Structure formats: C-alpha cells, structure tokens
Amino acid sequence: MADSGNVNGKAGINTRLAHSGNNPSDYFGFVNPPVVHASTVLFPNAKTMETRAQKYTYGTRGTPTTDALCDAINELEGSAGTILVSSGLAAVTVPFLTYLSSGDHALIVDSVYFPTRHFCDTMLKRLGVTVEYYDPMIGAAIESLIRPNTRLVHTEAPGSNTFEMQDIRAIADVAHRHGCVVTMDNTWATPVYFKPLDHGVDVSIHAATKYPSGHSDILLGTVSANAAHWPALTEAMVTLGICVSPDDSYQILRGLRTMGIRLERHQESALALAQWLEGRDEVARVLHPALPSFPGHELWKRDFTGASGIFSFVLKAEPDRFKAKAHAFLDALKLFGLGYSWGGFESLALHVGLGDRKVAVAPTEGPVIRLQIGLEDVPDIRRDIEAGLAAANAA
C-alpha cells in the first residue's frame, strides 16, 4: 500500500479521507495507526530533557495517535495546525479564550449554537469582553458594527436550527481590514462540503462528535488555524492543559474513512424528505439551504459543494398551540429518537427553542422542528414523519 504522503489535494475527497493521517510504513505495514496511551514520556539523557529535543515530551502535548488525527484534519482543512479538544463547545470556547482579552469587543452571529451564546453571555462577559450579536444575513454591512476594539468575528453557516446562510467571504474581508480574527463553526458542512480557510476564515471549528464520529458515541472537537493564527492557538492548548484521549482520537480517525460516503447518503435522504415536506399542507416552510425556496440558497449554491443531513421545518399552528402540536408530533415518532446532537447513523428530532435570539427573527407561523436524517431508508423515515404530522393535526 502506498503511504499517505502520496495523497494530496488533487485526489478525490473519499480517497483523501481513506488515506489522510495514515502511513502504514511507520507502523510495520499495519493499516491503522496504533492507540498510544501516554502521560510520562522518557528522555534518553538530561540534556535532551532540559531542551525537550525530541518529538514527544508529555502526554498532554500529543501522541502518535492524536497527531495522526491532527494530520488528517490539517489535510482536509488546508490548515497550518489543528488542536483536539474534549467537545464541540470547547472547540468554540478555546479560540475565544485564545484571541480575546478584557476590554475587547466580539461580534457573534445571532443564529449561533445556543451553548456558544451561553458561554459568551456568562464567562466571556465576566472576563471583560463585550459581546454583540449580529444578523446572519448582514454580509459586508458588518462594517457598521466594528468598533476600534473589535478583535473577533464569529460565524456559523448555516445557522444553528434555522439554517441562515452567511456571506463568509464578504464578512471575512471586512473583518480583516480592521485586524479582526474570523472564526467559523463549520460542523454542518464539514470540510467535505465547505473549507472555511479557503473563504477567508482564520480558524475553522468542528464538533467531531457529529459526522466525523458518525456513531453517536464520541465527544470531541477540532480547531484548525491558518499560519498567522496557529502559534497563539497551540500556545493556548499547552497553557490550558487541553488534551483528548487517544482512544477517542482513534475512533474519530476511523470515522473519517467513511464520512464522505455517509454524508452522501445523509444529503440525498435529507433533501428528498425536505422536498417532500415542502408539499405538505401541515408545513408552513422548510428550512434547508439546498432548497431553491430558501432565502440563503444562492449563497449556499455559490460557496458550498453539498449539504448534510440536518434541517428544520415550521409546523403550521396557532400561537397558543405551538408547544402542544410540536409535542404531539414528536411523541408520535417511532423511528426517530428524541435527542440532542446529530451526525450519527440514526434519525433524531427535537422542538427548537428560539427565545434566545436578539436580532434574527424566529419563524412565526408555528413551532420549528429540527430533523437529523440518519441512514435509514427514506420510505421508512417518511412514514414516521407522516405519523407525526397526523398526530399534530389531531392535537
């Protein structure tokens, strides 16, 4: 087998996923890298120990297993370096702690993942950072919000739960003119369908808990930076003592091998169901960027090469019946699980809460139901949704 050094950006995505971070010749020909458990690393002599003049010095600073995953992510992202953290939320908060200081101003997209908002409104503000939320559709007009002390602009596209698209390049160009760091939560698309650093983002963030894992049993986040912002990020990792288990890293690395073909199935099934839901009388609208009817469709079509398996729809309901109809829909589901997270093999559903929004307007026609479309057969998923719609109608 050829080693992974022969696989480069010109190869197809599934070829790259199959071989990135993997060099069998380093491990006596074994296809997968070994799981190396480590805290203590021994030095051959005092001089080497004093100068740390060897590749590995302590378990918190990396092992062959964690390095293999970082190498794979770097190849997919086109990044100068990647750190691994304990969760998707940590993948957001660590860069904020890295690049923001007391007295700074941060612009956060208003369609952001709710735990990110909670961190901003609590710990970040307590540390003396001013947080301001902006409309996800603002584009280059974000310039009007930038202050002399603005240091970071955080993006997320599509937006959490309601899937608003952002003009990432326009926002990044403005932010860079003012010396701001641009971060992006790209968990929905993964680097398979969107590469943030190619569109002006400085730091790309992923909850590897989702599609890279693919099996709903690992918590892990990745943070990848360009050359200008990598030194500060890796220093923060060392200073904060951040590390992840080699076992989890191995599982994510293994999940990467099939992520491309899993995403193809998630995308195909989700789009088919989104199109079908658009024609249902019980549905006010479907929130899926790959649908031509979606307001941000042209941005998605311009910048993204695909869509993943999660989207939302607005269930028609009178204002006083939002919760009752949403609960009736969810309680009638048999195939869908009711649970947080997504990206695994199983379909999931939940009633979205949007009371945290500051600027972006939440849908008013009814409750928002978020669906994670798993790897089950579409006719079976559709029958389950039909049962939920019938129950909501009767509620």
Side-chain angles (χ1 to χ4, degrees), residues 48-389:
T48 305
M49 188 177 191
E50 178 191 13
T51 59
R52 297 178 178 263
Q54 64 184 38
K55 182 173 176 60
Y56 297 106
T57 59
Y58 194 69
T60 59
R61 298 194 179 201
T63 71
T65 312
T66 57
D67 279 357
L69 178 54
C70 288
D71 289 346
I73 299 298
N74 284 333
E75 183 167 333
L76 295 171
E77 293 274 17
S79 49
T82 292
I83 66 168
L84 308 177
V85 296
S86 59
S87 68
L89 177 59
V92 178
T93 61
V94 170
F96 286 5
L97 294 173
T98 300
Y99 303 111
L100 289 168
S101 301
S102 179
D104 289 347
H105 173 245
L107 288 167
I108 311 294
V109 64
D110 197 39
S111 53
V112 73
Y113 175 53
F114 173 74
T116 298
R117 186 190 301 272
H118 180 70
F119 174 82
C120 291
D121 289 346
T122 54
M123 188 171 291
L124 207 56
K125 287 187 177 179
R126 181 169 61 80
L127 294 175
V129 176
T130 301
V131 175
E132 182 177 358
Y133 296 97
Y134 68 90
D135 188 329
M137 304 298 288
I138 198 169
I142 198 169
E143 188 142 26
S144 65
L145 301 180
I146 292 180
R147 307 176 188 176
N149 63 333
T150 305
R151 295 290 178 266
L152 183 144
V153 177
H154 181 65
T155 65
E156 181 178 333
S160 189
N161 295 321
T162 43
F163 301 92
E164 296 91 341
M165 290 300 303
Q166 292 194 260
D167 191 334
I168 299 297
R169 171 58 72 179
I171 291 170
D173 286 349
V174 170
H176 289 154
R177 285 202 300 270
H178 294 271
C180 303
V181 179
V182 180
T183 59
M184 180 179 179
D185 186 334
N186 188 43
T187 301
W188 183 86
T190 82
V192 173
Y193 293 145
F194 185 78
K195 294 179 66 174
L197 273 60
D198 287 352
H199 294 261
V201 172
D202 299 305
V203 179
S204 178
I205 293 161
H206 287 96
T209 303
K210 310 301 198 285
Y211 291 114
S213 166
H215 292 79
S216 303
D217 56 0
I218 302 292
L219 289 166
L220 198 139
T222 68
V223 189
S224 304
N226 59 21
H229 294 86
W230 169 240
L233 183 63
T234 187
E235 175 61 25
M237 178 193 73
V238 172
T239 302
L240 293 169
I242 293 168
C243 58
V244 300
S245 88
D247 302 273
D248 289 349
S249 300
Y250 177 86
Q251 292 285 61
I252 296 296
L253 191 62
R254 194 159 91 164
L256 286 180
R257 307 306 179 204
T258 61
M259 184 172 71
I261 56 175
R262 286 188 284 107
L263 277 169
E264 290 175 11
R265 176 60 178 261
H266 287 298
Q267 173 178 228
E268 180 183 3
S269 298
L271 189 54
L273 290 162
Q275 292 167 336
W276 169 72
L277 280 167
E278 277 201 304
R280 297 287 304 201
D281 291 338
E282 306 95 329
V283 174
R285 54 185 162 127
V286 179
L287 310 177
H288 191 313
L291 292 175
S293 59
F294 190 74
H297 175 71
E298 290 305 316
L299 278 174
W300 172 83
K301 188 176 178 181
R302 184 192 73 183
D303 293 341
F304 286 62
T305 60
S308 61
I310 183 169
F311 68 95
S312 295
F313 71 92
V314 183
L315 186 65
K316 287 180 183 176
E318 295 299 318
D320 61 343
R321 302 297 295 163
F322 278 23
K323 181 179 287 190
K325 285 189 176 289
H327 284 199
F329 174 86
L330 295 173
D331 289 343
L333 300 174
K334 303 299 182 187
L335 187 63
F336 281 80
L338 305 187
Y340 299 105
S341 196
W342 38 275
F345 55 85
E346 79 289 13
S347 292
L348 298 171
L350 59 80
H351 176 203
V352 172
L354 296 170
D356 60 323
R357 296 293 177 92
K358 309 292 185 186
V359 181
V361 178
T364 58
E365 308 97 319
V368 177
I369 306 294
R370 193 185 76 183
L371 301 178
Q372 133 79 8
I373 305 303
L375 300 179
E376 304 95 340
D377 294 306
V378 168
D380 298 326
I381 300 174
R382 187 166 57 236
R383 280 193 295 271
D384 208 36
I385 296 174
E386 284 178 327
L389 293 174

Side-chain angles (χ1 to χ4, degrees), residues 4-59:
S4 63
N6 294 326
V7 179
N8 56 44
K10 295 180 181 179
I13 186 60
N14 287 307
T15 302
R16 296 170 65 198
L17 286 167
H19 294 280
S20 297
N22 180 29
N23 191 345
S25 64
D26 287 346
Y27 306 108
F28 309 99
F30 290 105
V31 172
N32 291 313
V35 178
V36 178
H37 296 93
S39 56
T40 298
V41 178
L42 299 179
F43 300 85
N45 52 59
K47 181 66 172 178
T48 305
M49 188 177 191
E50 178 191 13
T51 59
R52 297 178 178 263
Q54 64 184 38
K55 182 173 176 60
Y56 297 106
T57 59
Y58 194 69

